[in-house]
Amino acid sequence: MKLQRRQFLHLVASAAAPPAVPRAAGAQSYPARPITFNVPFAAGGPSDAMARVMGDRMRVALGQPILIENVAGAGGSIGVGRVAHAPPDGYTVSVGHWSTHVVNGAIYDLNYDLLNDLAPVARLPANPQLIVSKKSVPAANLKEFIAWLKANESKVAAGTAGAGSASHIAEIYFQKITGTRFTMVPYRGTGPALNDLVAGQIDLILDQASNSMAQVRAGTIKAYAVTAKTRLPSLPEIPTVDEAGAPGLYISVWYGLWVPKGTPKDIIAKLNGAATTAMADPKVQARMADFGLEVPPREQQTPEALGALQKAEIGKWWPIIKAANIKGE
Ligand code: MLT
């Protein structure tokens, strides 16, 4: 059905516009109306923030407003599906990351193909996660936190952004590496989960640094380690997982932009141009760095580089995740 549907969309698109010249004219006059950035998680979380910071700067280069549409659910797979089935005209863009465009393909029976129904546009910044807990947890470091988790196993609740989300996968590995067990509570994103952590409704999250950074700095939650080999320049006091006692728990949540397969190359080039311009903007770079986000080098921001990264990560993570028998919602 999908192929026919895509061919059908193509036919409709080409039938609608007079032949040959219109496609060039279409691309040349692109964008002629606002563009929608589809965010597959709840507003207020790290994916939403990424979309808003990038969108805010890209609209200047594109000369059209960028509308943010949060379509949450099923670990982000519903929102991405909305883009995979959208017309290939450059007006619907998926803002996604490692879990939505890699992990979900290993745990959900998706009605779209992550590689064949979506075209990469630009690789965006990445950030590791922080192991964070509510403020009242009586632990001064990760070792004490792990001991507290083991002593309170039956009562502990961790927040996730749904099955297959970056926070969910990271928490499964945290349990494996530390020998802890806790209940996982799915939210529509780590934005709302973090609110409950600050309120003490849940006990921990393995949350993207960009999402928890402000609360850690404000002292409203505790951070024990960063899921990377090196400390975050913007949070130098937080040790790495190797230093703190969860060796090898390296998770980097890298972001990207995708459009429906079949979107004209010139339109993808325009979107990529606007994204790279945004990532070269010193104000955007400072903001990203302050929130623990690392901008990839220019030569890795291309559609091809994102496509290659996605393929490589699928090759690496699918066997691991399938072996862990992680099930979708
Ligand atoms: C979000 O925006 O809520 C996140 O990307 C969630 C996650 O994947 O952990």
Side-chain angles (χ1 to χ4, degrees), residues 39-50 70 75-76 96-100 127 129 159-162 164-171 187-193 205-208 211 253 255:
V39 176
F41 293 105
S47 303
D48 186 61
M50 177 63 72
N70 298 87
H97 60 53
W98 166 71
S99 77
T100 57
N127 67 154
Q129 294 165 313
T160 80
S165 64
S167 44
H168 177 228
I169 301 299
E171 286 164 23
Y187 290 77
R188 297 173 74 70
T190 51
I205 309 174
L206 266 77
D207 189 22
Q208 290 172 55
N211 195 45
V253 182
Y255 281 83

Coordinates of all heavy atoms in Angstrom, one line a residue, residues 39-50 70 75-76 96-100 127 129 159-162 164-171 187-193 205-208 211 253 255, ligand 1:
V39 N 7.4 17.5 15.8 CA 8.2 17.1 16.9 C 7.5 15.9 17.6 O 6.3 16.0 18.0 CB 8.4 18.2 18.0 CG1 9.1 17.7 19.2 CG2 9.1 19.4 17.3
P40 N 8.1 14.7 17.6 CA 7.4 13.5 18.0 C 7.3 13.3 19.5 O 7.0 12.2 20.0 CB 8.2 12.4 17.4 CG 9.6 12.9 17.3 CD 9.4 14.4 17.1
F41 N 7.5 14.4 20.3 CA 7.4 14.3 21.8 C 6.7 15.6 22.3 O 6.5 16.5 21.5 CB 8.8 14.2 22.4 CG 9.5 12.9 22.1 CD1 10.5 12.9 21.2 CD2 9.1 11.7 22.8 CE1 11.2 11.7 21.0 CE2 9.7 10.5 22.5 CZ 10.8 10.5 21.6
A42 N 6.3 15.5 23.6 CA 5.6 16.6 24.1 C 6.3 17.9 24.1 O 7.6 18.0 24.1 CB 5.2 16.3 25.6
A43 N 5.6 19.0 24.1 CA 6.2 20.4 24.2 C 7.0 20.5 25.5 O 6.7 19.8 26.5 CB 5.1 21.4 24.1
G44 N 8.0 21.3 25.5 CA 8.7 21.6 26.7 C 9.9 20.7 27.0 O 10.6 20.8 28.0
G45 N 10.1 19.7 26.1 CA 11.2 18.7 26.3 C 12.3 19.0 25.4 O 12.3 20.0 24.7
P46 N 13.4 18.1 25.4 CA 14.6 18.4 24.6 C 14.4 18.4 23.1 O 14.9 19.3 22.4 CB 15.5 17.3 25.0 CG 14.6 16.2 25.5 CD 13.5 16.9 26.2
S47 N 13.5 17.6 22.6 CA 13.3 17.6 21.1 C 12.5 18.8 20.7 O 12.8 19.4 19.7 CB 12.4 16.3 20.7 OG 13.1 15.2 21.1
D48 N 11.6 19.2 21.6 CA 10.8 20.5 21.3 C 11.8 21.7 21.3 O 11.7 22.5 20.4 CB 9.8 20.6 22.4 CG 8.8 21.8 22.2 OD1 8.1 21.7 21.1 OD2 8.8 22.7 23.0
A49 N 12.7 21.7 22.3 CA 13.6 22.8 22.4 C 14.5 22.8 21.2 O 14.8 23.9 20.6 CB 14.5 22.7 23.7
M50 N 15.0 21.7 20.7 CA 15.9 21.6 19.5 C 15.1 22.2 18.3 O 15.7 23.0 17.6 CB 16.3 20.2 19.2 CG 17.1 20.0 18.0 SD 18.7 20.8 18.0 CE 19.6 19.8 19.2
N70 N 3.6 19.4 17.8 CA 4.0 18.2 18.7 C 3.0 17.1 18.5 O 1.9 17.2 18.8 CB 4.0 18.7 20.2 CG 5.0 19.8 20.4 OD1 4.7 21.0 20.3 ND2 6.2 19.4 20.8
G75 N 6.7 6.4 21.8 CA 8.1 6.6 21.7 C 8.5 7.5 20.6 O 9.7 7.4 20.1
G76 N 7.6 8.3 20.0 CA 7.9 9.2 18.9 C 7.6 8.6 17.6 O 7.7 9.3 16.5
G96 N 13.9 14.7 14.5 CA 14.0 13.5 15.3 C 15.4 13.2 15.8 O 16.3 14.1 15.6
H97 N 15.6 12.0 16.4 CA 16.9 11.7 16.9 C 17.1 10.2 16.9 O 16.4 9.4 16.4 CB 17.1 12.4 18.3 CG 16.2 12.0 19.4 ND1 15.9 10.7 19.7 CD2 15.5 12.7 20.2 CE1 15.1 10.6 20.8 NE2 14.8 11.9 21.1
W98 N 18.2 9.9 17.6 CA 18.7 8.5 17.6 C 17.6 7.5 17.9 O 17.4 6.5 17.2 CB 19.7 8.4 18.7 CG 20.1 7.0 19.2 CD1 20.8 6.1 18.4 CD2 19.8 6.4 20.4 NE1 21.0 5.0 19.2 CE2 20.3 5.1 20.4 CE3 19.1 6.8 21.6 CZ2 20.2 4.2 21.5 CZ3 19.0 5.9 22.7 CH2 19.6 4.7 22.6
S99 N 16.7 7.8 18.9 CA 15.7 6.8 19.2 C 14.5 6.8 18.2 O 14.0 5.7 17.8 CB 15.1 6.9 20.6 OG 14.2 8.0 20.7
T100 N 14.1 8.0 17.7 CA 13.0 8.0 16.8 C 13.3 7.5 15.4 O 12.4 6.9 14.7 CB 12.4 9.4 16.7 OG1 13.5 10.3 16.2 CG2 11.9 9.9 18.0
N127 N 23.6 15.5 22.2 CA 23.9 15.6 23.7 C 23.8 14.3 24.4 O 23.0 13.4 24.0 CB 23.0 16.7 24.3 CG 21.5 16.3 24.4 OD1 20.8 16.8 25.3 ND2 21.0 15.5 23.6
Q129 N 23.2 12.1 28.0 CA 22.2 12.1 29.0 C 22.9 12.3 30.4 O 24.0 12.1 30.6 CB 21.3 10.9 29.0 CG 20.5 10.8 27.7 CD 20.0 9.4 27.5 OE1 20.7 8.4 27.7 NE2 18.7 9.3 27.2
G159 N 11.1 8.0 35.2 CA 10.3 8.5 34.1 C 10.9 8.2 32.7 O 12.2 8.3 32.6
T160 N 10.1 7.9 31.7 CA 10.6 7.8 30.4 C 9.7 8.6 29.4 O 8.6 9.0 29.8 CB 10.6 6.3 29.9 OG1 9.2 6.0 29.5 CG2 11.0 5.3 30.9
A161 N 10.2 8.7 28.2 CA 9.4 9.4 27.1 C 8.6 8.4 26.3 O 8.3 8.6 25.1 CB 10.3 10.3 26.3
G162 N 8.4 7.2 26.9 CA 7.7 6.2 26.2 C 8.6 5.0 25.7 O 9.8 5.3 25.6
G164 N 11.0 2.8 23.9 CA 11.8 3.0 22.7 C 12.5 4.4 22.7 O 13.4 4.7 21.9
S165 N 12.0 5.3 23.6 CA 12.6 6.6 23.6 C 14.0 6.5 24.2 O 14.4 5.5 24.8 CB 11.8 7.6 24.5 OG 11.8 7.1 25.9
A166 N 14.8 7.6 24.0 CA 16.2 7.6 24.5 C 16.3 7.4 26.0 O 17.1 6.6 26.4 CB 16.9 8.9 24.1
S167 N 15.4 8.0 26.7 CA 15.4 7.8 28.2 C 15.0 6.4 28.5 O 15.7 5.8 29.5 CB 14.4 8.8 28.8 OG 13.2 8.8 28.0
H168 N 14.1 5.8 27.8 CA 13.7 4.4 28.1 C 14.9 3.4 27.9 O 15.2 2.6 28.8 CB 12.5 4.0 27.3 CG 12.1 2.6 27.4 ND1 11.8 1.8 26.3 CD2 11.8 1.8 28.5 CE1 11.5 0.6 26.8 NE2 11.4 0.6 28.1
I169 N 15.5 3.5 26.7 CA 16.6 2.6 26.4 C 17.7 2.8 27.4 O 18.3 1.8 27.9 CB 17.1 2.9 24.9 CG1 15.9 2.7 23.9 CG2 18.3 2.0 24.6 CD1 15.3 1.3 23.9
A170 N 18.0 4.1 27.7 CA 19.2 4.3 28.6 C 18.9 3.8 30.0 O 19.8 3.2 30.6 CB 19.4 5.8 28.7
E171 N 17.6 3.8 30.4 CA 17.3 3.3 31.8 C 17.4 1.8 31.8 O 17.8 1.2 32.8 CB 15.9 3.8 32.2 CG 16.0 5.3 32.6 CD 14.6 6.0 32.6 OE1 13.6 5.3 32.8 OE2 14.6 7.3 32.5
Y187 N 5.9 8.8 29.9 CA 5.3 10.1 29.7 C 5.3 10.4 28.2 O 5.9 9.6 27.4 CB 6.1 11.2 30.4 CG 6.0 11.2 31.9 CD1 6.7 10.3 32.6 CD2 5.3 12.1 32.6 CE1 6.7 10.3 34.0 CE2 5.2 12.1 34.0 CZ 5.9 11.2 34.7 OH 5.8 11.2 36.1
R188 N 4.7 11.5 27.7 CA 4.7 11.8 26.3 C 6.0 12.5 25.9 O 6.1 13.0 24.7 CB 3.4 12.6 25.9 CG 2.2 11.8 26.2 CD 0.9 12.5 26.0 NE 0.6 12.8 24.7 CZ 0.1 11.9 23.8 NH1 0.0 10.6 24.2 NH2 -0.2 12.2 22.5
G189 N 6.9 12.6 26.9 CA 8.2 13.3 26.6 C 8.9 13.5 27.9 O 8.2 13.4 29.0
T190 N 10.2 13.8 27.9 CA 10.9 14.0 29.2 C 10.6 15.4 29.7 O 11.0 15.8 30.8 CB 12.4 13.7 29.1 OG1 12.9 14.4 27.9 CG2 12.6 12.3 28.9
G191 N 9.9 16.3 28.9 CA 9.5 17.6 29.4 C 8.6 17.4 30.6 O 8.9 17.8 31.7
P192 N 7.4 16.7 30.4 CA 6.5 16.5 31.5 C 7.1 15.6 32.6 O 6.8 15.8 33.8 CB 5.3 15.9 30.8 CG 5.7 15.5 29.5 CD 6.8 16.4 29.1
A193 N 8.0 14.6 32.2 CA 8.6 13.8 33.2 C 9.5 14.6 34.1 O 9.4 14.4 35.4 CB 9.4 12.7 32.5
I205 N 15.4 10.0 36.2 CA 15.3 9.9 34.8 C 16.7 9.8 34.2 O 17.7 10.4 34.8 CB 14.7 11.2 34.1 CG1 13.3 11.6 34.8 CG2 14.5 11.0 32.6 CD1 12.8 12.9 34.3
L206 N 16.9 9.1 33.1 CA 18.2 9.3 32.4 C 17.7 10.2 31.3 O 17.1 9.8 30.3 CB 18.7 8.0 31.9 CG 19.8 7.4 32.8 CD1 19.2 6.8 34.0 CD2 20.8 6.5 32.1
D207 N 18.0 11.5 31.5 CA 17.4 12.6 30.7 C 18.5 13.3 29.9 O 19.6 13.4 30.3 CB 16.8 13.6 31.6 CG 15.9 14.6 30.8 OD1 15.6 14.3 29.7 OD2 15.7 15.7 31.4
Q208 N 18.1 13.8 28.7 CA 19.1 14.5 27.9 C 19.6 15.7 28.7 O 18.8 16.4 29.3 CB 18.5 14.9 26.6 CG 18.3 13.7 25.6 CD 17.5 14.1 24.4 OE1 17.9 15.0 23.7 NE2 16.4 13.4 24.2
N211 N 17.9 19.0 28.5 CA 16.6 19.1 29.2 C 16.7 19.3 30.7 O 16.0 20.1 31.3 CB 15.7 17.8 29.0 CG 14.3 18.0 29.3 OD1 13.7 19.0 28.9 ND2 13.7 17.1 30.0
V253 N 22.6 11.3 22.2 CA 21.3 11.5 21.5 C 21.6 12.5 20.4 O 21.7 13.7 20.7 CB 20.2 11.9 22.4 CG1 18.9 12.1 21.6 CG2 20.0 10.9 23.5
Y255 N 20.6 14.4 16.9 CA 19.4 14.9 16.2 C 19.6 15.1 14.7 O 20.7 15.2 14.2 CB 19.0 16.3 16.8 CG 18.3 16.2 18.1 CD1 19.0 16.1 19.3 CD2 16.9 16.2 18.2 CE1 18.3 16.0 20.5 CE2 16.2 16.1 19.4 CZ 16.9 16.0 20.6 OH 16.3 15.9 21.8
Ligands
MLT1 C1 11.8 14.3 24.4 O1 11.9 15.2 23.6 O2 11.0 14.1 25.2 C2 12.9 13.3 24.3 O3 13.5 13.3 23.1 C3 12.6 12.1 24.9 C4 13.5 10.9 24.9 O4 13.8 10.4 23.8 O5 14.0 10.5 25.9

